[in-house]
Each structure stands twice: as C-alpha cells, then as structure tokens.
Amino acid sequence: MIFPSSIRSFLLLASFVVVAATVSVDIEARKPDPCAAIAGQKWVAPSALRACFTSVKVDPVIKDNIVQVINKTLAFHTSVNYEFKAPQPFTADVHEDLLGDLARISKQSYPSDYDLHIDFSRTLKRLNDGHCVWINACYVTLFLNFLPTPLALLTDVSGAQSVHIAPEAFQVASAEFPDQIDVWQNALPGPLKGKLESLSGAKVLLINGQDPFVAVNANALITGSFQALGTRQNSFFSSYQRASTGWNYVMGNFAQQSLPLSDSVTLTIVRTGHILPEVVVLPYRARVGSATVPFTDTASWRANNCVAIDGTNGVNLFGSSSIPSSTNIPVVKFKQQPDIPAPVERKQHVNVMLDTSPPSDVVLPPTLVPALPSLNGSASVTQFYMLKDGKTGVMALGSFSDSDFNTFLIGMLTGLQSLKSLGATQLIVDVSNNGGGFICAAHWLHRIIVGPKSTTVPQSGLDTKARDGPLAMLIVDQIVNNNADPNNELLYNPTNWPDANNVFFPPTDNWLQPPVLTTINGRADAFSQRLGEECPANQFPVPPPATALFDGKKVVIVSNGRCASSCSLFSVTMNKEEGSPTVVLGGKKDVQQQYCGTVGGQSTDFSTIDTEIKSTGLKNNSLAPPDLLVNGVQGITWRLGFGVVDPTQPEEWQPRPATLNLPITADIINNPVAIWEIVTKKLLS
Ligand SMILES: *[C@@H]1O[C@H](CO)[C@@H](O)[C@H](O)[C@H]1NC(C)=O
Ligand SMILES: *[C@@H]1O[C@H](CO)[C@@H](O)[C@H](O)[C@H]1NC(C)=O
Ligand SMILES: *[C@@H]1O[C@H](CO)[C@@H](O)[C@H](O)[C@H]1NC(C)=O
C-alpha cells in the first residue's frame, strides 16, 4: 500500500505547509532538506544520515502509540518479571525494569524521533533476549554502516589473546564493497595510502585511544540478543555461517552497525611483519539497505519506509480483509532464518531470534569455504562433510528452518545416514550463528541422532508454559466458549497444545484455566499449566530410525555462542541429557563462555498476537494494543521452556557453560574445516 499512503502523507504535508505558511516557511524553505541530501545515494556519510534522522521531531501521537503497542504486547511475553532480575549466573547481565522504563520514556522528551527510537530499542535490548526486541524499519537497516576492517580475537603461541584486524579482512571488503574500497584506500595516511590490504592481520593495540576491550564491552552493553557477556563480546568480532545460498561471512558489530552510530574509528595497529605502531583513521560508510524503499526527501522517506505497511498489524482471519503472504510481513526480514512460506509457518511453530542486523549476505572468501565434497542430504542451510580422518562426520547447520519442513527433516536423516555408511563413528554439529527456526526440527534432530530412549520418547524438547495475561485468557474464552476459531487457525486454540502428560487438549478445554499463580522477583504473575510435547512422531515425514545413529557423547556441538531459540533447544537437550560436549570458538579466555542463549520455547510477535485479538473480536477491549502506526516490529517469547537440570524453573537463565573455549589462531580463524579438525583432535580422538 505504498502508493496510496505516500499520496496521503504528501497531502498531509501540503496542508501543513499551507497552515504554517505565515510563520516560518520562508526560512524553512531555504534550509536544504537533509533527507533529500542522502536520497537516491547508495553510499553516504553516517553524519549525513544522522542529519536526516535527527531532523524529524517527536510526534506525541506516534510516541504514545508505540508505548501502548509495546506495553500491551508485553502482557503476552512470558519473561517480563523474570527479566526484572535474572537468577545467577545471569543476574549481572539481565536486570531491566521494562514497565518502569516505558513509563520513564512516556514522560521524557527527546531532541528527535531518532533519539526516541534509540531509547526504545536499547531499553528492549537490555533484556539481552533475542526474542523480545523492538525494531523500527524507518531507522534500522535503512542504511548499514560499514568499515572494511572486521576484527578477530586471536590467541598466539604463548596463549596470549589480542584483537586483530581479521587476516581475511581485505579479501572480504574488496569483494563486498568494490564500489567503495577506494574511499577507504584514499583515507589511509601518508605511506599507507592505497595499502588497505597491508592492514589485514594487524594487531590492534588501541581503538579510539583505549584498550580494545573498552569498545568490545561498550558494544556488549547495547548489542542485546544474548544473556551471556561472553556471547555479546563475541558479537563484536567476525564469524561465519552456513546460509541457504552458501557460506556467509558475518562482519560483527565493529565493522557493521544497523544505525549510523559512528563516523570514524582511530586504530593504533602493528601491521604483520612490522614492529612500530601506526595510527590510522578509517571512516565508516553507510550503504543503503536492500529492503529500503527509494525516497527523494523527508516526506517520501517517512511515507515509504516509516509508516505501517501490510503485515505490520494483525488481521481478522474471519473478516473481509486479505491476509498478507508471510514474505511480505515486516517481521520476516529481521528473523534470523531463511524465508518460510506462510502456510508452512502456520503449521510448523517456530522459535527464532530477531536481530537488528538482517541475515548476512556477505560471502565467506573462497579460500575459507569448505573444500570437502558435500554429501547426500546436503541442501540449503544443511551441509554434510566427512573429515579426512575417515571417522568424523560434520553437519553444518546454519538455521533450524527451511522453505519445506518435510524435505528439511528428511535431508537431516539422509545426511547422517550417509555419514554412517561412509564409516563415521563421531559427529561435529556446527551451529555458528544459528538463530533457530522450527521447534519440531530441533526435536527431530536430537531424536534421530540418539535413537529412542527416555530422553527422546515421547519427547526430546522442553516442557513449556505460556503467560496467563488477562487478554490472553479472554482470547481462549472466546475460542472455547464462543467457537471463535472453528477451523483451528489460531495460536491459542487448545487443540494445538498437549498437557504435561503429552495428551492434546480437546477443543473445549480452557487450557489457561486455572492460572498458575507465581511470584517472580516479588511480583505477582500468572502462567498456563505445564505444557508437554507438540511434536509427536506421527508429525514427522518419515518414521525416525529404531536405533541411535551416533553416541551422544561422541557428538560435539560447535559455535561462536550465537546459537539461539530452536538451536538452543537442540544444544541444551543434547548437552544436558546426552552429555554431548560443546565448543565456543575464540571467546575471551577469562570470561565464562556459554554455548547458546535466548532459549525461549516459542517466539512470536505483535502482529501475530494482534491477529489473535482481532479474530476473536477483542480489538475493542481496553487491554488490546492499538494498531501500530509505524513500520515496526515487537517480538516476544510466547512460550517459555522449563530447564533440564532444574525442571521447575525456566531453562532461559540456567547455566550453559561450554566444555571448551577453543583458542583461535591466525591460521584457523573463520576457516570451518581447520576448526573442525582441531575440535576433533581436542575432543574426539
Ligand atoms: C503499561 O501497562 C501497565 C499494565 O500492564 C500499566 O499499569 C502501565 O501504566 C502501562 N504503562 C504505560 C507507560 O502506559
Ligand atoms: C548418495 O546417493 C547416491 C544416489 O542416490 C547413491 O548412489 C550413493 O550410494 C549415496 N552415497 C552415500 C554415501 O550414501
Ligand atoms: C468496536 O467499537 C466500534 C465503535 O465503538 C464498533 O463500531 C465496532 O463494531 C466494535 N468492534 C467490535 C469487534 O466489537
């Protein structure tokens, strides 16, 4: 609906100008439009982008609308009161008074709408929960802010760790930014001019005149997504991921920002083969986002990129309005998974992280891409390889979702069986940057690896609970007592969920009653009864094998710690129930590395909840969030998984220490095969 709304805004603007004409239009008209200055450009200076962003004042109506949408959607988020003060070992990491901060934001004034956005975004990010994130596509990823020098934390022969410009930095940057690399080449001082390549691998002594970990830790405070400090530190550095189209390179938060936060960086470096430190200043450059709708000035930027679009809000499934296809839904581009067609996602519930960085499309340099042949079963985000030792199989799994659920699950089985037929007796599962996906795919993978046993039959996932907010209870009332969902299309329909004994509720069972009253951090809360398994064997495309494919203790799960949601469901149950060792690549050695985070149980978002509300005729209820006016997304944890070690408490804030924090040396950084060979030597030989 871009065309009509832009006309509407144009008319609004035009009438505003007429009304305001007598006061300031003469001066205003001569002041150049800061958004026209960046319009139509592929690359801009971050300061020019900020000048555009900060030129728009806060509209109190829109501000209140966002506060109301977030606040009322949070009534469906399971973790609000837990996140007020998380238990150990995450107390220092998660302690956010969300409702208090929303009240503060309501009263506070801001120099611009951009400043207000940053406060909303960072307030939610302080939860360090990748499911519960506020994203406004008006600002986030309109442009991405880049440096050509991604960083790596490397360990030397003596075991000392230091920050380096990634050895592959120039290869990555020259391939990804062919139209901008000269700007950086020419920015280098004196004799270094044109020699950007010679910076690759350089040791970084100082960032902006301070120890590099000052910058690493400052970023860890605002990056969000993961409970553990170690994981948020790792977000600063580059890493790799198996994506649906190939092997991708993740630049890290130093070299890629989703907002124009920095204009330049001053690095004090020692280049490879040199002794004396040198100082270089590199400008950040902002590149227009792939999903940005073209604009020519402030009015068209706002109209094309900042107002609610199809899919921002929910729909009444039983009304006359058309239902948007899932790939058009704004939330999709921030989900850390490949696109899933709408009918598949309706049937297969997901648990997936949202991130302000879109999934990376920067490619891993060819010299680092695994050169081993991909085996049968390999497709999209799943690749199978046999290491040269002839006994270690590798499954690289960059996501728990795929465009087709059945093909995805059958591919997993085919791949593991072909590894076995080639003689594999042990397995590495590399889940670097796996942000989750289908819940039942995580159950399936665990089940087929270790075979049928008490930990996998009838279920290999975690029990969960939903939150019994007052509006949620009214939705279920409508479904159960007023037949408001005759064809079982809604999330809250009882027939979707089994009780703690894994028996599915009948259509008339009010599964939110009676509420389980719980006091968390001194605050009264209420949840559903304990829920069991919703991935029974008859839901899988083929029967799972009758025997184990691998001994769980011979399955090593490898990542940079950035394994979330369904990836966490898989890793947690494999580690804590089957004794599978876990590896985190290259984390700071004096910081406890956790092998995954943002566990959740099932994730969803405002738009989906709004569909539940509208379809059950409750949009007029005072507890219902209003329709969102801006191009925003609010994610939530809708069901929260119970722990393995303490099954009475959520898994979310229980410890998940890595078996091994693998030191990363210059010769193996971002080289998956070299890493898998070392992991084999250390944990599997
Ligand atoms: C948020 O909602 C709560 C009820 O859950 C209400 O008490 C509070 O005033 C609301 N906060 C704001 C800022 O609207
Ligand atoms: C891979 O698939 C082909 C074709 O179906 C088959 O001939 C071959 O034996 C399979 N290889 C393995 C290792 O399973
Ligand atoms: C909501 O209220 C409006 C006006 O009060 C009314 O026209 C509309 O029918 C109501 N909608 C529902 C779903 O009850």
Side-chain angles (χ1 to χ4, degrees), residues 316 613-614 616-621:
N316 178 357
I613 294 169
K614 285 174 174 160
T616 50
L618 290 165
K619 187 70 176 178
N620 279 1
N621 192 289

mmCIF file of all heavy atoms in Angstrom, residues 316 613-614 616-621, ligand 3:
data_model
loop_
_atom_site.group_PDB
_atom_site.id
_atom_site.type_symbol
_atom_site.label_atom_id
_atom_site.label_comp_id
_atom_site.label_asym_id
_atom_site.label_seq_id
_atom_site.Cartn_x
_atom_site.Cartn_y
_atom_site.Cartn_z
ATOM 1 N N ASN A 316 -8.192 -9.780 11.016
ATOM 2 C CA ASN A 316 -9.259 -10.684 11.435
ATOM 3 C C ASN A 316 -9.335 -11.799 10.399
ATOM 4 O O ASN A 316 -9.716 -11.562 9.260
ATOM 5 C CB ASN A 316 -10.582 -9.916 11.522
ATOM 6 C CG ASN A 316 -11.725 -10.824 11.907
ATOM 7 O OD1 ASN A 316 -11.558 -12.039 12.051
ATOM 8 N ND2 ASN A 316 -12.901 -10.233 12.073
ATOM 9 N N ILE A 613 -6.196 -11.354 18.556
ATOM 10 C CA ILE A 613 -7.122 -10.420 19.203
ATOM 11 C C ILE A 613 -8.255 -10.044 18.248
ATOM 12 O O ILE A 613 -9.435 -10.099 18.600
ATOM 13 C CB ILE A 613 -6.343 -9.155 19.662
ATOM 14 C CG1 ILE A 613 -5.342 -9.523 20.762
ATOM 15 C CG2 ILE A 613 -7.308 -8.063 20.137
ATOM 16 C CD1 ILE A 613 -4.356 -8.409 21.100
ATOM 17 N N LYS A 614 -7.879 -9.692 17.016
ATOM 18 C CA LYS A 614 -8.896 -9.262 16.039
ATOM 19 C C LYS A 614 -9.811 -10.424 15.660
ATOM 20 O O LYS A 614 -11.020 -10.243 15.504
ATOM 21 C CB LYS A 614 -8.225 -8.695 14.790
ATOM 22 C CG LYS A 614 -7.650 -7.302 15.025
ATOM 23 C CD LYS A 614 -6.862 -6.803 13.824
ATOM 24 C CE LYS A 614 -6.427 -5.358 14.047
ATOM 25 N NZ LYS A 614 -5.298 -4.985 13.190
ATOM 26 N N THR A 616 -10.760 -12.896 17.374
ATOM 27 C CA THR A 616 -11.683 -13.302 18.442
ATOM 28 C C THR A 616 -12.556 -12.128 18.884
ATOM 29 O O THR A 616 -13.201 -12.185 19.938
ATOM 30 C CB THR A 616 -10.905 -13.872 19.653
ATOM 31 O OG1 THR A 616 -9.860 -12.958 20.011
ATOM 32 C CG2 THR A 616 -10.290 -15.223 19.313
ATOM 33 N N GLY A 617 -12.561 -11.039 18.094
ATOM 34 C CA GLY A 617 -13.462 -9.916 18.360
ATOM 35 C C GLY A 617 -13.113 -9.104 19.588
ATOM 36 O O GLY A 617 -13.980 -8.474 20.192
ATOM 37 N N LEU A 618 -11.827 -9.089 19.962
ATOM 38 C CA LEU A 618 -11.450 -8.406 21.206
ATOM 39 C C LEU A 618 -10.667 -7.117 20.979
ATOM 40 O O LEU A 618 -10.132 -6.541 21.927
ATOM 41 C CB LEU A 618 -10.628 -9.362 22.083
ATOM 42 C CG LEU A 618 -11.441 -10.524 22.677
ATOM 43 C CD1 LEU A 618 -10.506 -11.614 23.214
ATOM 44 C CD2 LEU A 618 -12.359 -10.024 23.796
ATOM 45 N N LYS A 619 -10.614 -6.648 19.731
ATOM 46 C CA LYS A 619 -9.796 -5.453 19.471
ATOM 47 C C LYS A 619 -10.313 -4.234 20.227
ATOM 48 O O LYS A 619 -9.540 -3.307 20.521
ATOM 49 C CB LYS A 619 -9.758 -5.188 17.958
ATOM 50 C CG LYS A 619 -8.795 -4.082 17.546
ATOM 51 C CD LYS A 619 -7.316 -4.460 17.706
ATOM 52 C CE LYS A 619 -6.395 -3.354 17.186
ATOM 53 N NZ LYS A 619 -4.969 -3.656 17.372
ATOM 54 N N ASN A 620 -11.582 -4.216 20.568
ATOM 55 C CA ASN A 620 -12.126 -3.063 21.298
ATOM 56 C C ASN A 620 -11.840 -3.104 22.792
ATOM 57 O O ASN A 620 -12.097 -2.131 23.491
ATOM 58 C CB ASN A 620 -13.647 -2.975 21.119
ATOM 59 C CG ASN A 620 -14.013 -2.318 19.792
ATOM 60 O OD1 ASN A 620 -13.154 -1.950 19.018
ATOM 61 N ND2 ASN A 620 -15.310 -2.172 19.570
ATOM 62 N N ASN A 621 -11.331 -4.233 23.275
ATOM 63 C CA ASN A 621 -11.055 -4.341 24.708
ATOM 64 C C ASN A 621 -9.955 -3.348 25.096
ATOM 65 O O ASN A 621 -8.997 -3.144 24.337
ATOM 66 C CB ASN A 621 -10.601 -5.776 25.004
ATOM 67 C CG ASN A 621 -10.576 -6.061 26.482
ATOM 68 O OD1 ASN A 621 -9.724 -5.539 27.203
ATOM 69 N ND2 ASN A 621 -11.522 -6.860 26.944
HETATM 70 C C1 LIG B 3 -15.641 -1.667 18.248
HETATM 71 O O1 LIG B 3 -16.216 -0.439 18.564
HETATM 72 C C2 LIG B 3 -16.674 0.292 17.421
HETATM 73 C C3 LIG B 3 -17.116 1.673 17.832
HETATM 74 O O2 LIG B 3 -17.376 1.711 19.198
HETATM 75 C C4 LIG B 3 -17.775 -0.507 16.734
HETATM 76 O O3 LIG B 3 -18.196 0.179 15.591
HETATM 77 C C5 LIG B 3 -17.221 -1.860 16.334
HETATM 78 O O4 LIG B 3 -18.219 -2.666 15.782
HETATM 79 C C6 LIG B 3 -16.623 -2.583 17.519
HETATM 80 N N1 LIG B 3 -15.912 -3.752 17.026
HETATM 81 C C7 LIG B 3 -16.020 -4.923 17.641
HETATM 82 C C8 LIG B 3 -15.214 -6.015 17.018
HETATM 83 O O5 LIG B 3 -16.684 -5.119 18.629
#
